[in-house]
Structure formats: C-alpha cells, structure tokens
Amino acid sequence: MGRLERDAADALAAAASSAELAEVETAALGKRSALAAAHRHLAALDPDARRAAGKALHDARTRLEALAAARAEELVAAERALMLGRDRLDLTEVTADEIRSAMTRGRLHLVTQTRRELEDVFVAMGFTVAEGPEAETDWYNFEALNIPPAHPARSMWDTFYLELGQPETVVLRTHTSPVQIHLMEDGPPPVHAVIPGRCYRRETADARHLPVFHQLEGLVVDRGITFGDLAGTIETFTTAYFGPDIHSRLRPGYFPFTEPSAEVEVTCTICRGAGCRTCSSTGWVELAGCGMVDPAVFEAVGIDPEEWSGFAFGFGIDRCAQMRHVIADMRVLTENDVRFLRLF
Ligand code: DAH
C-alpha cells in the first residue's frame, strides 16, 4: 500500500460524521484527488509500466471505496442510535403529579361532589335516596307542610312564582321539604329516605346565601321514633362528614312542619368560632333545620300520628361544602372560575 493510499485510508477512518465522510471521499477519490492526478500521469508511462501502475491504482481505488462504504455504514448506524436516544421519552422520570397536572381533564363540581358524599354517609346509615320535582304547587311547598296561605311563617321563604295556572299557585320549590309529602303519599310507612335537590329563593346572594342552592332533605317515619333518634342521626352525620374536630350543636328553632324543631349549627370554620363576616360575627353557622314531624303534616297525607312518628331534616349542601372546605364566600360556587374549581 503506497503512501497515497494510506493517507486516504486514514482520512476515511477519521471521518466523524456522514457529512465529513462525504467530503473526505470527494477529496480522496474525486476528480481533484491525488489518485485521479496519478491516473492522469499514466499516459506518460510506457505500456508495461502503465499496465502495472494502472492495475495498482485501480486496486487501490477499489479498496478505498470499500473502506468508505464500510465507514459510511458505521457512521449512519451511530447517528441513528444517537437520534433515537435523543427522541426517547424517559417516562420513569415523570411523576404521577406531573402527568396529572399536564392533563386538562374535567371534574365534578364541588357541590356535586359534596352531594354525593352526603348521600354516601346517609346510605351507610340505611337511608335510601329519593328525588322530587323543582316546580311545586303551593299545596306541596307550603300547605301540606302546615303553612296555610297568608300564614306569617311564609315570610321565612321568599318565593319565586311560575306563571302557570292561577296566580301564585305554582312555585319553584323554596326547600326540599315538599318531597316529604310526595314520599308519604307514594306508599305507607316506614320511610327512611334522603332527598337531595336544587331549591330557589328570591334573595340576594351573600357570603352565606345563594338564590339557587341545594338541600339534602331527610325523612324517617316509623313506629316509636323519638327525638333521640334524630339527635343521634345528626351527630353521626356531622362526625362522619366533618370529622371530630368540628363542633356541632342543636338549638331550639321553629318550623311549621316539625314540633319540636331545632337548628343544626357548626363552629364557623372560617374564624374557628371567633366571629367573622361569614358567620355574621356569631361564631356559628346554621347547616340544617330539623325536628319531629308535626302531626298536622301526617294528617295532610292520611298517616295516623297515633301509630307512626318520625323526624325530618334539611341540610344546606352548599353550606356543608362551605364549612368543610373553609370557603369564606359562597358566591365562588357559582362563578365557575376554573382556578377555584380545580382545587377540588
Ligand atoms: N325546609 C327548611 C328550610 O328550608 C329546613 C327544614 C327544617 C327541613 C326542618 C326539615 C325540617 O325537614 O324538619 O328552611
């Protein structure tokens, strides 16, 4: 192997990339290469020497071309491997949290999540889940619940009326209590049911109130039901849903459809009882009304109050969510700001 061939072979072997190899190949084997120049000098030789030199040059070119092809194959393989390595996604480095935050999947609204949690707590205590209509006649929303027309207690509920039938006879339900009446009409006792649903009141939204809100009604009708059963059920519920750290209490109250009646309150979670704007400086927030079903309600649906007794309650679902998740102003629940919704 002559010097010329050895130099060309070294240059081909040293080429570090396909692009560099192409340049080296042109320089070593192309028209302007030393090899081509040597070829041109053959003409000046006598025939025997020309034949021998010609063969030597031809053999050298053949070997160099084979070398170049082999080096090209090596370089292409190395470059492919490099490219694959660069494109590879190392999933072992990605945490579950990163994947979760990269996904823009939707979720249930906090109020829906809360409704389901409340249902679960009561279902675990043996209640069934029922539903009722959002548009009610005056009789279901008021009269059957022992609230006669023009009764002063009606001012407890600022009502939206629908333009249906006689004026002021069809309402958007102001509470879920009318479903108690439907359930007792639907079949004989016993009844152990909770009823979640949307309610409407003609009032201005504030930190603790929304004109469209949600309640979870409860009704138990059976033989020998006492106020102790009611208090125990409420206590079991508040501990299961809020945990042992939040204090609840029953306060005497008034509702036309229960006697006696009580209000369920929890320590305001915003100020921990110190008093703030959310709890109107009282340190307590009302979550529910409850009581023993009034005999007048049993009579309205033809149930004998001598044989049956019962208790009822109505929790504010939005209030439960508000206290449990420490939300100072309930209005965020309707604003649909994804920065808030994403927190739950
Ligand atoms: N319906 C009442 C309201 O919305 C809450 C309530 C009080 C429901 C006492 C009840 C009950 O079932 O027994 O203000």
Side-chain angles (χ1 to χ4, degrees), residues 166-284:
Q166 296 292 311
E168 303 202 351
T169 53
V170 184
V171 307
L172 285 176
R173 67 179 176 197
T174 59
H175 49 184
T176 41
S177 298
V179 192
Q180 291 186 28
I181 305 300
H182 290 293
L183 288 183
M184 290 189 282
E185 282 179 343
D186 285 351
V191 179
H192 303 85
V194 287
I195 308 116
R198 199 180 286 137
C199 305
Y200 303 82
R201 285 190 204 169
R202 208 177 148 218
E203 56 189 17
T204 311
D206 66 24
R208 233 173 37 240
H209 300 88
L210 296 173
V212 181
F213 61 102
H214 304 81
Q215 285 189 337
L216 184 93
E217 192 80 14
L219 176 67
V220 169
V221 181
D222 212 330
R223 291 190 174 87
I225 298 292
T226 67
F227 195 89
D229 296 316
L230 168 60
T233 304
I234 300 285
E235 171 77 19
T236 305
F237 162 74
T238 49
T239 324
Y241 180 66
F242 289 103
D245 294 339
I246 293 186
H247 296 293
S248 66
R249 68 178 185 187
L250 279 183
R251 279 212 321 172
Y254 170 74
F255 297 98
F257 31 92
T258 42
E259 180 58 35
S261 302
E263 286 171 11
V264 183
E265 295 183 333
V266 289
T267 316
C268 177
T269 54
I270 315 298
C271 60
R272 301 184 163 276
C276 67
R277 199 173 58 86
T278 306
C279 62
S280 304
S281 308
T282 62
W284 293 90

